[in-house]
């Protein structure tokens, strides 16, 4: 990772995503409630997608900027085989007579100059080497700081996923007939054909849904005890709306982008707005 690479690939993604965030924020602030939450969620998703694509694909129509400069091939004019080249006559040149070795050796001995050092020049220090080494140290320092942050967030997200998987392994899917019947009816109402697992855990988790391949819903025992059947049905519908909208997959994608763009404040603004609009969109769907 060098400064040239960052300026060539990362800097366009940073400033273009910042401009997109300003535009999307202005549009959502101007329209407010007249724009549905799902459309606000989609607009902020475009900003996230620009952050995830440091290099835009080139377009022959000119809609997207090209990332590579056109290469021009050097054209060499080669003679055509059909055109006869003029014949150049080879004239014999007379060979010079052999030199007199005795005369040459004597002349070289006489005319051979003797070089004596007359003056010494002071060595001029080269500052370009020092500038290059300083630039490399700064580059590696920035890269080391970014790498430490990326590893921290990767470890944080991975530990969260491992904790959820261990939490589901400690308990079995609920065998409550009321909850299972309610879940089946909610799935049929939202037209979800995928099998969804439901867990009731003692931890203080109100409700959560996760799992890209195997969707799972977690409810806390406090919610099951205190909520009425109608409230539980709304909670299940809300979590099933997340699964239907593929929000768990988007959540994983956001985390992957966060690992690489964690120093960028545009990412955290986009992520916050995505989470808010995602909840509003699920509430509107319910």
């Amino acid at each position: 990772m060098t400064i040239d690479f960052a300026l060539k690939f990362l800097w366009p993604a940073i400033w273009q995503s910042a401009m997109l965030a300003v535009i999307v924020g202005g549009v959502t602030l101007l329209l407010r409630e007249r724009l549905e939450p799902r459309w606000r969620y989609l607009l902020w998703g475009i900003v996230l997608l620009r952050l995830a694509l440091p290099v835009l694909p080139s377009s022959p129509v000119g809609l997207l900027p090209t990332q590579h400069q056109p290469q021009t091939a050097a054209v060499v004019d080669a003679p055509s085989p059909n055109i006869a080249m003029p014949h150049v006559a080879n004239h014999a040149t007379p060979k010079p007579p052999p030199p007199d070795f005795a005369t040459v050796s004597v002349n070289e001995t006489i005319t051979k100059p003797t070089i004596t050092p007359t003056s010494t020049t002071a060595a001029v220090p080269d500052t370009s080497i020092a500038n290059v080494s300083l630039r490399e140290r700064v580059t590696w320092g920035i890269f080391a700081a970014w790498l430490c942050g990326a590893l921290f967030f990767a470890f944080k997200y991975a530990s969260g996923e491992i904790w959820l998987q261990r939490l589901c392994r400690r308990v079995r899917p609920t065998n409550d007939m009321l909850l299972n019947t309610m879940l089946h009816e909610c799935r049929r109402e939202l037209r979800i054909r995928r099998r969804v697992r439901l867990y009731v855990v003692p931890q203080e988790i109100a409700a959560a849904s996760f799992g890209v391949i195997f969707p799972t819903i977690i409810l806390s025992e406090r919610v099951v005890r205190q909520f009425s059947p109608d409230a539980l049905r709304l909670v299940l519908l809300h979590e099933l709306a997340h699964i239907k909208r593929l929000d768990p997959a988007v959540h994983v994608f956001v985390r992957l982008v966060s690992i690489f763009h964690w120093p960028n404040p545009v990412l955290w603004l986009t992520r916050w707005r995505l989470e808010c609009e995602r909840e509003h969109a699920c509430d509107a769907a319910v």
Side-chain angles (χ1 to χ4, degrees), residues 66-275:
T66 56
Q67 300 292 334
H68 302 284
Q69 297 294 333
Q71 298 180 357
T72 57
V75 180
V76 180
D77 295 334
S80 177
N82 299 326
I83 301 177
M85 300 297 293
H87 178 70
V88 179
N90 295 328
H91 298 282
T93 57
K95 296 182 179 181
D100 191 356
F101 294 100
T103 308
V104 171
S105 61
V106 171
N107 292 337
E108 287 182 356
T109 306
I110 296 174
T111 60
K112 186 176 181 180
T114 57
I115 301 174
T116 57
T118 56
S119 62
T120 57
T121 57
V124 180
D126 191 3
T127 58
S128 61
I129 299 177
N131 294 334
V132 170
S133 61
L134 178 61
R135 183 180 180 182
E136 288 181 355
R137 287 197 297 266
V138 172
T139 302
W140 283 107
I142 295 174
F143 176 74
W146 171 85
L147 183 61
C148 291
L151 291 176
F152 169 76
F153 284 103
F155 175 77
K156 179 181 177 181
Y157 298 149
S159 60
E161 292 295 329
I162 293 174
W163 182 79
L164 282 175
Q165 295 297 331
R166 288 182 177 179
L167 182 62
C168 293
R169 290 177 183 176
R170 293 174 185 173
V171 295
R172 294 182 178 180
T174 179
N175 53 4
D176 191 345
M177 294 299 298
L178 178 62
L179 286 177
N180 289 329
T181 304
M182 191 180 301
L183 177 65
H184 179 72
E185 292 178 356
C186 293
R187 284 174 52 200
R188 185 175 57 183
E189 184 176 351
L190 294 179
R191 298 178 182 178
I192 298 177
R193 298 181 179 179
R194 303 174 61 187
R195 180 177 177 270
V196 180
R197 297 176 295 183
L198 179 61
Y199 292 89
V200 178
V201 296
Q203 281 75 11
E204 289 297 328
I205 301 176
S209 58
F210 64 95
V212 179
I213 302 177
F214 303 103
T216 305
I217 296 178
I218 292 179
L219 296 178
S220 65
E221 295 178 354
R222 180 182 57 84
V223 170
V224 176
R225 288 195 312 265
Q226 297 179 1
F227 281 31
S228 62
D230 293 336
L232 280 176
R233 177 177 174 275
L234 293 178
V235 170
L236 290 177
L237 284 174
H238 180 93
E239 300 303 327
L240 286 173
H242 281 301
I243 295 175
K244 183 178 180 179
R245 291 165 41 88
L246 301 179
D247 287 340
V250 177
H251 184 63
V252 173
F253 180 70
V254 170
R255 288 187 170 186
L256 292 177
V257 177
S258 303
I259 293 175
F260 291 95
H261 287 275
W262 67 266
N264 192 356
V266 178
L267 166 74
W268 299 105
L269 173 64
T270 305
R271 180 174 175 175
W272 171 59
R273 293 310 307 166
L274 277 174
E275 292 176 356

Side-chain angles (χ1 to χ4, degrees), residues 12-64:
I14 292 174
W15 74 264
Q16 290 176 10
S17 60
M19 293 297 297
L20 278 176
V22 171
I23 295 174
V24 171
V27 170
T28 55
L29 185 62
L30 181 64
L31 297 179
R32 293 184 181 180
E33 300 300 331
R34 287 178 291 179
L35 190 64
E36 295 183 3
R38 58 176 181 173
W39 294 111
R40 296 198 298 264
Y41 181 79
L42 181 61
L43 289 176
W44 285 107
I46 296 176
V47 181
L48 179 69
L49 188 62
R50 183 62 191 96
L51 281 171
L53 295 176
V55 180
L56 289 177
S58 59
S59 173
V61 205
L63 297 177
L64 297 175

